[in-house]
Amino acid sequence: MTGATTDERRTTGPGRSAPAAGRHSPTAGEHTPTTGRRTTTAGRLRALGHAELVLLARNRTAVFVALLVPLAMVLAMKTTLERVDLGGTGLTVTGLALTGGIGMVLMQVVYMNLVSAYVARREDLVLKRLRTGEVADWEILTGTALPSVALALAQAVLVVLAGAAAFDVGAPERPDLFLAGLLSGSVLLAALAAVTSVATRTVQTSQITTLPLFLVSMIGSGLFVPLEVLPDRVASVCELLPVTGVMTLVRAGWLGGSDGSDLLTAGLVALAWTVFAVFAVQRWFRWEPRR
């Protein structure tokens, strides 16, 4: 019996119809089904992640931005924070610069880099072709994000080591909170990257569509300016921004100083934004080029 399989007939909303049978051609990282043999989820994610890692390594601009820009921003933040009055906050310029640097790593390496990746794969028909096989939608998106997330986590570890070696900042006081902040931030920003790609027509315009969240997070989520020095009403609003909860967990995990209510609020804010972002991806993500 012949005919299109269930996966080949799959549609998930406007602009997401799967390509017609017979027009499929394998692409990097894609599994070509064989008779009587199916791959595992782990195997498919590993193959997709490896293919994406190869593509990332070939993009010298992306590698430069991912590796060097966050480190440069740490030095810039340290210079800026020296002009901020931190008296009474219990915070130090070095501690804020290093934790803010981790926030910059998450924004640059995970969020901004993934928006470009999702748009590039969509416009090159890679996403559309992958959906004609046995790979699930969430596996395609997750496999694409894995190298960026792994690179961001590795850089976060390097920032911690640099803080201990060069700036006399101790190891994280609460490694569990620190890791929770890194992982929740990676998942949240990967989902927000997929959402942002919906409004991004080309890789070039991704530099524009990612700016709103980037700037809002720098100013209002504690990357550059700690919420403790802001007016109470402004700080209360900023606590509800997408990245604020992540930064609160990262800072409390490394430097300590936050009470249980602050951590609970931070965790709930991060979770709420993650749930919203995942829902938005399921509802509006585009799998076909924006023509």
Side-chain angles (χ1 to χ4, degrees):
M1 180 176 177
T2 61
T5 65
T6 300
D7 286 339
E8 289 173 329
R9 294 194 299 268
R10 177 174 50 183
T11 58
T12 56
R16 305 186 196 178
S17 58
R23 298 180 62 183
H24 167 73
S25 60
T27 187
E30 181 180 358
H31 170 70
T32 303
T34 58
T35 303
R37 181 180 179 182
R38 293 181 65 86
T39 59
T40 63
T41 297
R44 293 192 292 269
L45 289 176
R46 184 167 55 250
L48 289 169
H50 178 266
E52 190 63 35
L53 180 62
V54 171
L55 292 173
L56 176 63
R58 292 176 180 174
N59 189 335
R60 295 182 180 179
T61 301
V63 172
F64 173 81
V65 171
L67 294 179
L68 298 183
V69 171
L71 298 179
M73 293 299 293
V74 170
L75 300 177
M77 282 188 287
K78 190 173 185 298
T79 302
T80 302
L81 288 169
E82 289 174 350
R83 306 173 185 175
V84 178
D85 183 12
L86 299 177
T89 64
L91 301 172
T92 65
V93 170
T94 301
L96 286 174
L98 291 172
T99 54
I102 290 179
M104 288 298 302
V105 166
L106 293 174
M107 291 297 301
Q108 292 273 358
V109 180
V110 179
Y111 177 65
M112 302 182 77
N113 181 60
L114 272 181
V115 172
S116 299
Y118 285 136
V119 173
R121 308 301 171 261
R122 182 192 69 206
E123 296 302 307
D124 291 340
L125 301 178
V126 173
L127 299 181
K128 183 176 179 180
R129 291 170 179 169
L130 284 172
R131 298 182 81 225
T132 65
E134 63 180 298
V135 188
D137 289 351
W138 72 269
E139 292 174 343
I140 297 173
L141 299 178
T142 302
T144 304
L146 283 178
S148 295
V149 171
L151 181 58
L153 295 179
Q155 282 192 271
V157 172
L158 290 177
V159 171
V160 172
L161 295 177
F167 299 101
D168 198 26
V169 178
E173 295 187 13
R174 291 282 305 275
D176 55 332
L177 288 179
F178 185 72
L179 183 60
L182 289 178
L183 294 179
S184 62
S186 298
V187 174
L188 170 60
L189 290 172
L192 289 176
V195 175
T196 305
S197 72
V198 176
T200 308
R201 288 187 173 274
T202 65
V203 173
Q204 290 73 25
T205 57
S206 67
Q207 300 175 22
I208 298 174
T209 57
T210 56
L211 275 181
L213 180 61
F214 179 72
L215 294 177
V216 167
S217 298
M218 280 202 311
I219 298 171
S221 292
L223 271 73
F224 266 103
V225 181
L227 300 187
E228 288 82 356
V229 303
L230 299 177
D232 291 341
R233 291 185 178 180
V234 176
S236 297
V237 174
C238 290
E239 287 178 353
L240 302 178
L241 295 176
V243 185
T244 303
V246 172
M247 290 305 303
T248 299
L249 292 175
V250 168
R251 187 163 290 149
W254 193 352
L255 306 177
S258 296
D259 57 31
S261 60
D262 290 339
L263 296 177
L264 178 60
T265 300
L268 291 176
V269 169
L271 178 61
W273 276 105
T274 301
V275 171
F276 169 76
V278 171
F279 168 78
V281 172
Q282 293 175 333
R283 180 65 180 85
W284 293 295
F285 187 76
R286 298 182 65 94
W287 297 93
E288 297 188 15
R290 295 176 59 95
R291 303 297 188 195

